[in-house]
Amino acid sequence: GQNIDQPTEMTATEGAIVQINCTYQTSGFNGLFWYQQHAGEAPTFLSYNVLDGLEEKGRFSSFLSRSKGYSYLLLKELQMKDSASYLCAVMDSNYQLIWGAGTKLIIKP
Amino acid sequence: GAVVSQHPSWVICKSGTSVKIECRSLDFQATTMFWYRQFPKQSLMLMATSNEGSKATYEQGVEKDKFLINHASLTLSTLTVTSAHPEDSSFYICSARDRLAGDSDTQYFGPGTRLTVL
């Protein structure tokens, strides 16, 4: 079957760095998305990786290794507003999205 | 874990026809379901929030007469794109909240339906 695994919850300190991992097993691969979702709001697009390597966008970076079925989202200089759920989703060979359950990130002062 | 399915996965239709997309929560009851539209490699745009047994709440700019939403049961919501046009071609995603879950904010997402209007 197809599945995506990411930690359920993580806690980090304001100003620190946190890495949220995502591993996947899917039928084919057409890209991996990271979304941020604050409670009660729609998910916000963070990144899209289709080739191996690191994509940096401000305080957020996303890494992909297709051979390992692995991605991570790196958040630097954490701010209180970064407290949210982070969703990993993979588009399979049929262009269907397979979603992880989300990682709830708690930032402490 | 909670599973949300969508049917169909793909649909191609002619301009002017109507298309119905189903969203089902397979192993839980969903009081609230959400319909999103995803543009290529971009954010999910919330179209409407659907509550079981009541009228859907549409986001600003979404035509309620064009995108008909019905949430007739706790496990099924449908989105009907009426008189579809090529600009309606998109990836439509639904999500559902588990009515009985402790974390009532958690949404479970469906795999999406790719609509192509010719």
Side-chain angles (χ1 to χ4, degrees), chain A residues 8-9 37-41 43 84-85 87 100-104, chain B residues 1-2 4 28-34 36 95-109:
Chain A
T8 305
E9 187 174 296
Q37 187 176 29
H38 286 99
E41 298 180 12
S85 283
L87 301 165
T103 298
K104 186 174 183 179
Chain B
V4 174
F28 66 98
Q29 293 183 326
T31 312
T32 305
M33 288 184 170
F34 304 85
Y36 296 89
S95 71
R97 275 198 196 132
D98 186 341
R99 187 172 70 101
L100 300 177
D103 183 355
S104 59
D105 284 331
T106 299
Q107 293 181 29
Y108 300 97
F109 288 84

Side-chain angles (χ1 to χ4, degrees), chain A residues 2-81:
Chain A
Q2 307 197 97
N3 69 283
I4 295 191
D5 289 314
Q6 51 180 130
T8 305
E9 187 174 296
M10 298 181 73
T11 303
T13 306
E14 191 177 14
I17 299 173
V18 71
Q19 177 174 311
I20 303 174
N21 296 325
C22 171
T23 57
Y24 62 89
Q25 291 177 309
T26 58
S27 303
F29 180 83
N30 277 299
L32 184 145
F33 295 81
W34 281 99
Y35 288 94
Q36 178 192 61
Q37 187 176 29
H38 286 99
E41 298 180 12
T44 303
F45 171 80
L46 292 178
S47 66
Y48 172 75
N49 294 66
V50 66
L51 299 176
D52 288 352
L54 185 69
E55 298 255 352
E56 296 186 74
K57 200 183 287 186
R59 294 189 299 116
F60 293 5
S61 303
S62 58
F63 172 83
L64 174 68
S65 169
R66 287 172 297 171
S67 62
K68 295 181 180 177
Y70 168 69
S71 172
Y72 67 72
L73 180 70
L74 191 72
L75 292 76
K76 302 176 185 175
E77 300 168 18
L78 286 170
Q79 301 175 9
M80 297 303 291
K81 66 178 182 179

Side-chain angles (χ1 to χ4, degrees), chain B residues 16-93:
Chain B
T17 61
S18 294
V19 173
K20 181 186 281 189
I21 302 169
E22 292 185 351
C23 175
R24 292 182 186 272
S25 57
L26 298 186
D27 49 3
F28 66 98
Q29 293 183 326
T31 312
T32 305
M33 288 184 170
F34 304 85
W35 286 97
Y36 296 89
R37 183 170 174 175
Q38 185 197 44
F39 295 93
K41 305 175 190 177
Q42 293 185 31
S43 285
L44 303 183
M45 183 195 82
L46 179 64
M47 299 175 66
T49 302
S50 163
N51 290 298
E52 186 264 338
S54 63
K55 290 184 179 180
T57 303
Y58 289 81
E59 296 299 303
Q60 193 171 11
V62 178
E63 300 175 60
K64 57 183 70 174
D65 293 330
K66 181 167 184 62
F67 298 98
L68 301 178
I69 291 172
N70 184 283
H71 192 159
S73 78
L74 284 171
T75 59
L76 173 66
S77 176
T78 60
L79 168 69
T80 301
V81 183
T82 62
S83 187
H85 292 286
E87 58 266 28
D88 299 323
S89 297
S90 191
F91 196 50
Y92 292 88
I93 300 168

